[in-house]
Amino acid sequence: MTNEYDVAVIGGGFAGVIAARDLSVKGHSVVLIEARDRVGGRTWTAPGLGRQLEYGGTYVHWTQPNMWQELQRHNIPLRIPVVPTTVYWIAEGATHSASPEEYGAALEPLMNQFFADARAVFPQPFDIELVDTSAVEKQTIADRLSALNLPSYEHDLLDGAMAGLVTAYEDHGVAQFLSCVATYFGSWAAFFETAGTWPIEGGTKRLLDAIMAESKAAVRLSTPVAAVEDDGTGVTVTTRAGEQIRARAAVVALPLNTLGDIAITPEVPAASRRMIDDKNPIVGSKIWVRAKGELEPFQAVAPLGQNPINAARVEYHEDGDTFIMCLCSTGAAIDATDPAAVQQALRAFIPDIEVRETACHDWVTDEFSKGGFMLHRPGHFTGGATQLREAHGRIHFAGSDIAGVEAGAIEGAMDTGAHAARSIDAALARGSY
């Protein structure tokens, strides 16, 4: 087994898999190094509740250029989602219900207020340095909610609509949220559709398998990395086991919360180091529920602190039962392995629901993720993340956590992986590396 390559790609999530595939099919020798015994990173299609489940990132959209190109390339369709007939929400301590249209009509003016300046702050979302974002980067989601000065009912209505995507409003900057909405024409409804509606037929594993089948990269699974060093003539990757792998360039495509576990030489820029040290504050969880009987398709939301489950939606019916996807802003607030606890939380919306089984993967305690998808702290989205997207000598970074467009999404991971591959390919062609 050789220990010398043109490129070493560290991390086998979508960013790393795309980078390794793109570079290897260009004729470069590539090794893909992954700590887990599988590729996919924070996406994971695996058995549960008697079927295949998506335990991590799931939803994609035809408006996402990198994702749609790959789906079309491999002839993989999207799965048509179940459309809810009723929406339940908690406000002022009580549960309310209405049709999706009525709920949307009540929510729309509040969302429009919250995201009113999205296009002004990010007129061209693909170029986040186009305007001065220093003021908005100081603002937390909590700051913006408070500035709206809404009555308690309206505050809870808006809070509940966003709670499934956050952990604590005071921990998250508003800039990334504004960028995501600006990306989708300034429409919060369009962004929410892309972020949480359309799964891949056959799961994310189906797409990963298709991309890996094209790749010519060598793959080393169950190989955690301890250090990455650029000495000016090449990159040395040192595994935890002490093995050293030499390459002309490297792609580091790891979750932000694990970058602090790796010695990176030379040191990254100060703003990026602060971001790495501050970490991604998302500590939520995703719980799958198998409920007894074929329940009506519903969607449910709850503000932070008013229910341990902050978002729930019927995903499909099978074998006479109903499968529900639930999001919790704080995973530690509920025991995902306890059907009785999950049933109690869901009964705030559906009083007679009977939970048969639950399934969940704890991404927060997983040593190779240490958290969920990215929602940046104030100052980091246009600060440390921007600097990590620039070449760090022969070391290039990738991953949804540092994406400029679609940060926190599979699309963002793909985009950064493809960008890193293009940059390295060009440098190798010039003889710069």
Side-chain angles (χ1 to χ4, degrees), residues 49 287-292 308-309 324 326 334-347 353-360:
L49 308 184
I287 305 173
W288 280 101
V289 171
R290 181 170 186 160
K292 182 180 179 181
I309 292 176
I324 304 166
C326 304
I334 189 168
D335 182 355
T337 66
D338 182 357
V342 176
Q343 176 176 279
Q344 181 180 354
L346 286 174
R347 282 188 171 179
I353 193 170
E354 294 186 37
V355 173
R356 293 185 185 272
E357 297 177 86
T358 63
C360 180

Side-chain angles (χ1 to χ4, degrees), residues 52-386:
Q52 293 292 110
L53 299 176
E54 291 283 17
Y55 287 95
T58 301
Y59 303 107
V60 301
H61 206 265
W62 55 86
T63 55
Q64 298 172 329
N66 293 276
M67 173 58 72
W68 193 242
Q69 173 182 289
E70 294 294 338
L71 291 173
Q72 295 288 89
R73 176 176 182 161
H74 301 293
N75 195 30
I76 298 175
L78 300 181
R79 181 167 58 80
I80 297 175
V82 172
V83 178
T85 57
T86 304
V87 179
Y88 300 92
W89 68 95
I90 295 175
E92 296 184 313
T95 300
H96 309 264
S97 65
S99 69
E101 293 76 18
E102 292 169 325
Y103 171 76
L107 182 62
E108 183 174 12
L110 306 176
M111 283 291 196
N112 288 343
Q113 289 182 65
F114 190 93
F115 292 110
D117 58 343
R119 289 302 297 272
V121 175
F122 296 102
Q124 296 177 18
F126 53 86
D127 187 354
I128 64 176
E129 297 178 333
L130 190 65
V131 296
D132 182 4
T133 59
S134 57
V136 76
E137 270 284 31
K138 296 176 182 177
Q139 190 177 37
T140 66
I141 295 176
D143 292 334
R144 179 157 291 213
L145 279 170
S146 178
L148 293 178
N149 197 28
L150 297 172
S152 60
Y153 176 84
E154 284 78 7
H155 182 281
D156 284 354
L157 188 64
L158 181 57
D159 182 329
M162 298 190 294
L165 299 175
V166 304
T167 288
Y169 290 126
E170 60 270 17
D171 290 339
H172 303 295
V174 76
Q176 181 183 334
F177 248 6
L178 295 178
S179 170
C180 288
V181 170
T183 298
Y184 289 97
F185 340 113
S187 168
W188 65 270
F191 163 60
F192 274 55
E193 177 175 322
T194 65
T197 306
W198 295 84
I200 299 170
E201 187 69 57
T204 52
K205 184 178 186 300
R206 181 178 177 184
L207 179 56
L208 284 162
D209 287 346
I211 296 169
M212 290 296 291
E214 289 185 315
S215 181
K216 299 179 181 179
V219 180
R220 299 195 187 182
L221 300 177
S222 302
T223 308
V225 167
V228 183
E229 179 181 4
D230 174 7
D231 62 11
T233 63
V235 177
T236 300
V237 177
T238 304
T239 71
R240 288 188 190 174
E243 180 185 11
Q244 292 193 325
I245 300 167
R246 187 74 174 167
R248 295 164 68 186
V251 178
V252 178
L254 298 175
L256 178 71
N257 287 358
T258 67
L259 283 178
D261 299 334
I262 296 176
I264 301 171
T265 308
E267 177 59 280
V268 298
S272 300
R273 175 49 60 186
R274 284 194 297 274
M275 182 178 71
I276 293 170
D277 292 342
D278 286 349
K279 299 188 180 301
N280 170 14
I282 289 286
V283 293
S285 65
K286 176 181 181 179
I287 305 173
W288 280 101
V289 171
R290 181 170 186 160
K292 182 180 179 181
E294 293 198 5
L295 305 179
E296 66 154 340
F298 70 85
Q299 178 182 347
V301 296
L304 295 185
Q306 295 197 33
N307 194 295
I309 292 176
N310 299 99
R313 188 180 65 219
V314 171
E315 289 283 322
Y316 36 76
H317 298 98
E318 189 169 292
D319 298 330
D321 285 338
T322 302
F323 291 78
I324 304 166
M325 186 277 298
C326 304
L327 296 176
C328 307
S329 63
T330 303
I334 189 168
D335 182 355
T337 66
D338 182 357
V342 176
Q343 176 176 279
Q344 181 180 354
L346 286 174
R347 282 188 171 179
F349 310 109
I350 312 292
D352 58 351
I353 193 170
E354 294 186 37
V355 173
R356 293 185 185 272
E357 297 177 86
T358 63
C360 180
H361 177 73
D362 190 342
W363 297 101
V364 177
T365 60
D366 184 325
E367 69 169 316
F368 302 123
S369 59
K370 296 186 175 181
F373 65 90
M374 169 57 75
L375 187 54
H376 283 282
R377 294 183 186 274
H380 293 329
F381 178 61
T382 60
T386 299

